[in-house]
């Protein structure tokens, strides 16, 4: 297998393929494997030469786990893109270099089915599913990891030998714990996933047309927008309260609104607008949208614009809310700080949000609040490695900049915003009655910093809760030399 070095014309494209331009790595060489055997070879050569390897699928890691100056060998699996039905396992096989969009396209055109996964079609499947993976359909169908039947993994044993192994959810599979760790354990921990097998947990037959949920026939998309200048602190507070109350009321799997997903975008006031964007796949979608907005938006009695449009499922899935991923999106430097909520914002948190979102600062940032729960909340916290199973919202403080001069003020703003939002729990969303930690697919190295996490609760509890010791045992068993590691990787128990 060829090694692409810095003098190769392909190197700059490969080394620079990353969403978050905050981080820059310069590996000694890049490998482009086309098979699991190639990945084994690439890992073995890295281990033999005592070089540190990392894997990349889509390049959308929010932290510098892949684009790390300490990384010497980058194994880019983006040529491994197969999507097919594996009759022997009665499950869909998806190679880990495929993107979310390509997976959606192949599953829909081939069999009319869908896996509930992420929102941006360019995300790579490789690092996505194993972190849980939530998206537009999670309230209706759950997390992508809930459909994980098996994995193929390349890792390294205690003698330094690279090898591949298959692990499934079958009760009699001796490697079942390795499968379990990939249902929310996060990327870069145990080895390199080269292939996933996906099947609904309640399906035993061999018909590919029923192995995964049937895809929606169409999607009703809604966009609502207010002018920020029409809001004062009182109306802002009512909006956040309304959204939180609705999310709490409709987070259960028996809610008639499980087929509706929405996000409240509370942009900084200098961005000019406050927005809600969402969708419904239900036959009575317009009724659900009307009910949602009647509870959240109408009580404010403020003028807003509303657009509702219909789209075939695949067209939407391959280009969802294009205004969110407009030109320039791939040039951004960003910081995202994520939190799960079990209860709505407190009055104090709303006051904090208003303060930061109206601060006189040239900031491009926002607070995003996404509906959560539904089918996600039907799974036991220990059944998968995705432990947060009774939440109502996923919330994030975000900022981004292009000009290097924007880095310091943007980072200062978002970090202090988040810290003050959770001032009652040491600056982070500790698992308690109101909050429930963070999502490992949205990693934040600040959680491991005593400057920003003053809770006394370690970063790994924020992500994994009571599942962490079990993940540590898997780590010790399957990556005993700690070949695969990063700033927030699972550490084997001492």
């Amino acid at each position: 297998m060829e090694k692409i070095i810095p003098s190769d014309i392909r190197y700059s494209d490969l080394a620079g393929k990353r969403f978050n331009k905050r981080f820059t790595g310069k590996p000694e060489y890049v490998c482009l494997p086309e098979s699991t055997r190639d990945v084994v070879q690439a890992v073995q050569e890295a281990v033999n030469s005592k070089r540190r390897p990392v894997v990349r699928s889509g390049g959308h890691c929010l932290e510098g786990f892949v684009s790390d100056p300490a990384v010497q060998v980058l194994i880019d699996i983006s040529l491994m893109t197969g999507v097919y039905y594996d009759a022997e396992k009665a499950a869909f096989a998806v190679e880990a270099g495929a993107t979310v969009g390509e997976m959606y396209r192949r599953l829909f055109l081939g069999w009319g089915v869908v896996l509930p996964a992420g929102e941006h079609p360019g995300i790579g499947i490789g690092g996505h599913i194993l972190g849980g993976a939530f998206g537009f359909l999670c309230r209706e169908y759950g997390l992508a990891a809930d459909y994980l039947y098996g994995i193929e993994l390349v890792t390294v044993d205690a003698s330094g030998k690279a090898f591949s192994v298959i692990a499934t959810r079958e009760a009699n599979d001796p490697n079942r714990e390795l499968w379990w760790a990939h249902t929310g354990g996060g990327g870069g921990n145990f080895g390199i996933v080269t292939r996933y097998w996906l099947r609904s947990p309640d399906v035993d037959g061999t018909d590919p047309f029923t192995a995964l949920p049937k895809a929606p026939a169409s999607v009703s998309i809604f966009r609502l927008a207010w002018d920020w200048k029409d809001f004062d602190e009182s109306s802002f507070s009512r909006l956040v309260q309304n959204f939180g109350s609705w999310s709490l009321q409709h987070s259960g799997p028996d809610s008639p609104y499980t087929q509706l997903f929405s996000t409240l975008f509370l942009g900084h006031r200098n961005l000019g607008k406050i927005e809600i964007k969402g969708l419904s796949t239900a036959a009575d979608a317009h009724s659900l949208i009307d009910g949602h907005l009647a509870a959240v938006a109408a009580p404010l009695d403020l003028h807003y614009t509303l657009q509702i449009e219909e789209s075939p499922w695949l067209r939407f899935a391959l280009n969802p809310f294009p205004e969110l991923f407009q030109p320039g999106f791939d040039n951004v430097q960003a910081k995202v700080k994520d939190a799960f909520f079990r209860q709505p914002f407190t009055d104090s948190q709303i006051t904090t949000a208003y303060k930061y979102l109206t601060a006189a600062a040239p900031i491009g940032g926002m607070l995003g609040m996404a509906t959560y729960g539904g089918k996600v909340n039907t799974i036991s916290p220990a059944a998968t490695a995705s432990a947060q199973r009774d939440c109502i919202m996923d919330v994030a403080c975000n900022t981004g900049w292009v000009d290097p001069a924007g880095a310091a003020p943007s980072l200062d703003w978002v970090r202090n915003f988040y810290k003050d939002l959770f001032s009652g729990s040491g600056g982070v969303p500790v698992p308690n009655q109101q909050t429930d930690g963070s999502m490992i697919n949205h990693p934040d190295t600040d959680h491991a910093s005593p400057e920003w996490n003053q809770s006394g609760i370690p970063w790994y509890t924020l992500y994994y809760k009571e599942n962490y010791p079990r993940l540590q045992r898997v780590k010790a068993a399957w990556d005993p030399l700690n070949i695969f590691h990063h700033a927030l990787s699972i550490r084997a128990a001492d």
Side-chain angles (χ1 to χ4, degrees):
M1 180 176 41
E2 187 180 8
K3 296 176 181 177
I4 298 170
I5 60 175
S7 60
D8 191 301
I9 61 170
R10 295 166 291 178
Y11 179 88
S12 60
D13 276 322
L14 287 167
K17 188 185 82 173
R18 63 198 187 281
F19 158 68
N20 194 350
K21 298 302 193 290
R22 273 182 68 204
F23 305 102
T24 303
K26 193 172 182 181
E28 294 179 22
Y29 61 88
V30 181
C31 295
L32 280 170
E34 297 185 59
S35 67
T36 299
R37 180 180 295 180
D38 287 349
V39 176
V40 171
Q41 177 187 337
V43 171
Q44 189 68 70
E45 290 181 358
V47 171
N48 290 348
S49 63
K50 295 182 169 53
R51 289 180 169 89
R52 180 181 165 194
V54 297
V55 63
R56 181 180 62 201
S57 177
H60 286 80
C61 182
L62 295 176
E63 289 286 4
F65 298 164
V66 176
S67 297
D68 181 343
V71 166
Q72 296 158 297
V73 178
L74 174 58
I75 301 172
D76 184 303
I77 58 171
S78 60
L79 295 182
M80 299 174 63
T81 60
V83 179
Y84 58 92
Y85 184 73
D86 184 336
E88 182 179 340
K89 287 186 170 57
F92 285 101
V94 180
E95 293 184 347
T99 63
V100 168
E102 179 62 6
M103 179 192 67
Y104 283 150
R105 190 180 75 85
R106 296 289 298 276
L107 289 178
F108 181 78
L109 294 181
W111 302 274
V113 298
V114 70
L115 179 78
E119 299 171 0
H120 180 36
I123 292 172
I125 282 294
H128 183 55
I129 292 176
L130 53 75
F134 95 108
F136 296 125
L137 303 181
C138 70
R139 286 167 49 80
E140 182 175 2
Y141 293 127
L143 303 178
D146 299 340
Y147 294 81
L148 184 61
Y149 174 77
I151 59 155
E152 181 178 56
L153 183 80
V154 173
T155 190
V156 179
D157 67 16
S159 73
K161 180 183 178 182
F163 66 101
S164 65
V165 60
I166 290 174
T168 72
R169 68 178 178 225
E170 295 293 346
N172 61 354
D173 189 331
N175 302 330
R176 191 176 191 277
E177 282 295 281
L178 182 62
W179 159 82
W180 175 86
H182 286 80
T183 60
N189 284 308
F190 311 106
I192 297 176
V193 175
T194 55
R195 178 165 28 194
Y196 295 102
W197 284 274
L198 302 154
R199 188 175 81 206
S200 296
D202 55 351
V203 169
D204 295 323
T206 58
D207 181 358
F209 290 87
T210 60
L212 287 172
K214 187 176 178 62
S218 64
V219 181
S220 297
I221 307 147
F222 61 97
R223 298 174 173 88
L224 180 152
W226 294 273
D227 279 331
W228 231 119
K229 62 180 173 54
D230 293 337
F231 279 81
D232 58 18
E233 188 166 358
S234 175
S235 53
F236 177 90
S237 178
R238 288 199 305 275
L239 174 59
V240 177
Q241 289 170 345
N242 292 349
F243 193 86
S245 296
W246 188 94
S247 297
L248 175 63
Q249 182 181 354
H250 296 290
S251 64
D254 56 346
S255 168
Y257 285 89
T258 55
Q259 289 181 282
L260 182 140
F261 176 92
S262 77
T263 301
L264 174 60
F265 292 91
L266 298 165
H268 190 281
R269 186 163 58 184
N270 65 29
L271 298 179
K273 293 189 180 299
I274 289 176
E275 299 176 292
I276 298 177
K277 298 178 189 289
L279 62 96
S280 176
T281 60
D284 59 344
H286 285 249
S287 175
L288 295 183
I289 294 168
D290 290 345
H292 178 57
L293 299 183
V296 175
L300 303 181
D301 199 26
L302 294 175
H303 172 74
Y304 59 78
T305 59
L306 175 63
Q307 295 177 300
I308 302 178
E309 62 182 274
E310 309 300 319
S311 173
W313 159 248
L314 187 60
R315 183 187 303 170
F316 169 78
L318 296 182
N319 193 22
F321 298 107
E323 67 272 17
L324 297 179
F325 309 114
Q326 52 193 300
F329 173 73
D330 282 342
N331 294 319
V332 74
Q333 300 180 57
K335 181 68 175 178
V336 177
K337 299 179 69 66
D338 173 272
F340 280 118
F341 275 71
R342 287 169 151 162
Q343 294 288 325
F345 274 36
T346 63
D347 290 344
S348 173
Q349 287 170 327
I350 295 173
T351 298
T352 296
Y354 186 79
K355 169 189 169 184
Y356 277 90
L357 293 171
T358 59
I363 296 300
M366 69 168 53
L367 178 68
M369 305 171 67
T371 56
Y372 203 70
K375 186 69 175 290
V376 175
N377 290 352
T378 64
I379 307 296
S380 162
T384 67
S386 301
Q388 291 87 355
R389 293 292 185 167
D390 62 355
C391 296
I392 68 170
M393 293 186 296
D394 181 69
V395 173
C397 297
N398 306 330
T399 190
W401 62 94
V402 176
D403 186 341
S410 296
L411 285 169
D412 181 69
W413 177 84
V414 77
R415 284 171 162 157
N416 283 293
F417 183 1
Y418 191 85
K419 182 178 181 180
D420 288 355
L421 204 57
F422 304 108
S423 60
S425 55
V428 292
V430 302
N432 60 26
Q433 186 175 0
Q434 191 214 10
T435 55
D436 203 21
S438 299
M439 183 184 302
I440 192 58
N441 267 359
H442 297 162
D444 177 8
T445 54
D446 291 347
H447 281 356
S449 165
E451 179 181 2
W452 300 109
N453 178 1
Q454 300 173 5
S455 68
I457 304 298
W459 65 265
Y460 49 79
T461 300
L462 298 176
Y463 289 114
Y464 302 117
K465 300 174 63 179
E466 290 81 4
N467 285 340
Y468 188 65
R470 189 174 171 186
L471 288 165
Q472 288 184 288
R473 292 191 291 272
V474 177
K475 174 70 170 181
W478 290 99
D479 184 22
L481 300 180
N482 197 30
I483 298 297
F484 303 97
H485 62 273
H486 52 73
L488 295 179
S489 59
I490 292 163
R491 276 72 159 171
D494 294 334

